[in-house]
Amino acid sequence: REVKAAQVDLADELFAESIPVPEIQSVLTHINNDLYRRIIEKNLDDMVQNGWGEPPVAFCVIVMGSGGRGESYLYPDQDNGFILDDYPDSRHNEIDRFFIELAMRMTDDLDKVGIPLCKGHVMATNPVWRKTASQWREQISLWCRRQSLVALRFSDIFFDFRPVYGEVDLAAALREDISRTVK
């Protein structure tokens, strides 16, 4: 909470030093992404201590929207999601239960430190934004085939994603798939 609050003074100081606004936004984005990482690590440690165990599959936490573009402002809301490594459908309930818990803890803690919940529910607590790599590829293909405002809005939010924690290879592979699909 103190780190988030200190961003205002830091931004004022940088602005007073005539630092270009995009560079200030980049610094704010870096701090916000670090807050994500610290909160996720804390929650994963707490989950192990409370009997949840280690994550059942590899995963990557992503931020989207302004945070994904590296254009965070002082008071961004949460736009986040999970990319999970593929797993057999027979394990869905067990695996999804773990990541629902992690998502609830993460979003609640982010809200407590000053990154408020997204009013549009673009957060990993919403299954639309918590998928396996294969499910994301299918989702992207569907959004590209549909010509609706919702598909366009969701694509616009998602395509700016940036990994902030976990197996960044999952995000890199998905980025490659998106590029091929969009072409």
Side-chain angles (χ1 to χ4, degrees):
R1 199 171 311 161
E2 291 170 13
V3 170
K4 186 67 182 142
Q7 281 184 319
V8 174
D9 292 335
L10 175 63
D12 281 343
E13 289 174 22
L14 295 173
F15 193 70
E17 293 177 17
S18 300
I19 304 294
V21 171
E23 290 181 32
I24 296 171
Q25 288 176 310
S26 179
V27 169
L28 297 176
T29 297
H30 179 75
I31 293 168
N32 289 336
N33 291 348
D34 188 57
L35 288 170
Y36 265 89
R37 282 187 284 279
R38 290 174 184 216
I39 285 170
I40 294 161
E41 287 172 356
K42 176 195 170 295
N43 281 303
L44 287 172
D45 288 346
D46 288 349
M47 289 176 72
V48 166
Q49 295 300 318
N50 291 313
W52 285 87
E54 298 290 335
V57 296
F59 72 103
C60 183
V61 179
I62 57 174
V63 293
M64 300 169 274
S66 62
R69 290 188 303 274
E71 300 172 347
S72 285
Y73 297 98
L74 287 171
Y75 305 105
D77 69 345
Q78 295 182 41
D79 289 325
N80 56 59
F82 291 169
I83 304 169
L84 309 177
D85 204 1
D86 289 327
Y87 57 83
D89 286 342
S90 62
R91 294 191 62 207
H92 176 73
N93 288 343
E94 161 209 351
I95 292 171
D96 200 40
R97 181 175 169 263
F98 181 93
F99 287 105
I100 289 170
E101 180 69 19
L102 178 58
M104 288 174 22
R105 290 172 182 235
M106 177 187 78
T107 55
D108 188 47
D109 285 351
L110 287 165
D111 186 51
K112 287 176 184 171
V113 301
I115 303 176
L117 301 171
C118 175
K119 291 181 179 153
H121 305 284
V122 179
M123 298 176 294
T125 51
N126 180 342
V128 170
W129 305 104
R130 185 184 67 249
K131 299 181 185 306
T132 65
S134 293
Q135 291 168 333
W136 274 119
R137 284 191 291 280
E138 180 57 34
Q139 183 67 73
I140 291 159
S141 176
L142 179 65
W143 285 339
C144 288
R145 289 191 313 265
R146 283 200 177 148
Q147 295 184 3
S148 71
L149 291 175
V150 171
L152 180 61
R153 184 170 61 99
F154 283 178
S155 296
D156 185 48
I157 292 167
F158 180 74
F159 286 1
D160 290 329
F161 77 86
R162 169 189 304 229
V164 293
Y165 183 86
E167 298 294 326
V168 296
D169 290 347
L170 289 168
L174 189 57
R175 174 71 63 213
E176 289 177 23
D177 289 338
I178 289 171
S179 296
R180 280 193 297 276
T181 300
V182 170
K183 282 182 184 176

